[in-house]
Amino acid sequence: MAFVNVGHYWLANGASTWVFIKFGTVGTDRKAQWIMADPLPFDTFPTPSGIMQFEVGRFQRRHEYRNGGSEYTYFCLVQNTPSPGWLGGWFSLSGGGNV
């Protein structure tokens, strides 16, 4: 099951954040998932020129037991690679299951 353009996040140069995705209303188990930070275009004028680079790692799957069933949430750590003069930027999440 692939997913594209989930969420709308901002990261400054050198910053990092944990992001997550959940499938279904209670979080359906989709087994192994990979998640990628997908850079989004700037929506400002003038559009800045420069480089931004997102790294993704430290994948996690949380399984929470509940009386009405289990809930699964998939996490990953996204970092905007630090480098002097590089830009902060917007990104969404794309990815899918391993087949």
Side-chain angles (χ1 to χ4, degrees):
M1 165 98 188
F3 55 92
V4 295
N5 202 26
V6 174
H8 194 214
Y9 307 92
W10 170 267
L11 270 182
N13 180 6
S16 62
T17 188
W18 282 95
V19 294
F20 70 92
I21 187 166
K22 193 182 294 190
F23 300 100
T25 55
V26 294
T28 305
D29 183 13
R30 297 296 172 99
K31 305 299 180 196
Q33 297 288 314
W34 57 269
I35 304 170
M36 180 63 76
D38 193 11
L40 296 173
F42 283 88
D43 56 2
T44 59
F45 184 82
T47 302
S49 296
I51 297 171
M52 61 183 171
Q53 176 176 297
F54 296 114
E55 297 179 41
V56 178
R58 295 188 60 191
F59 296 95
Q60 299 177 357
R61 181 175 78 168
R62 180 179 296 162
H63 181 181
E64 183 177 338
Y65 294 102
R66 297 183 175 214
N67 288 338
S70 296
E71 182 170 309
Y72 299 87
T73 310
Y74 302 86
F75 296 87
C76 73
L77 181 65
V78 177
Q79 179 182 20
N80 189 347
T81 306
S83 186
W86 284 15
L87 303 174
W90 293 102
F91 70 95
S92 65
L93 303 177
S94 296
N98 298 330
V99 287

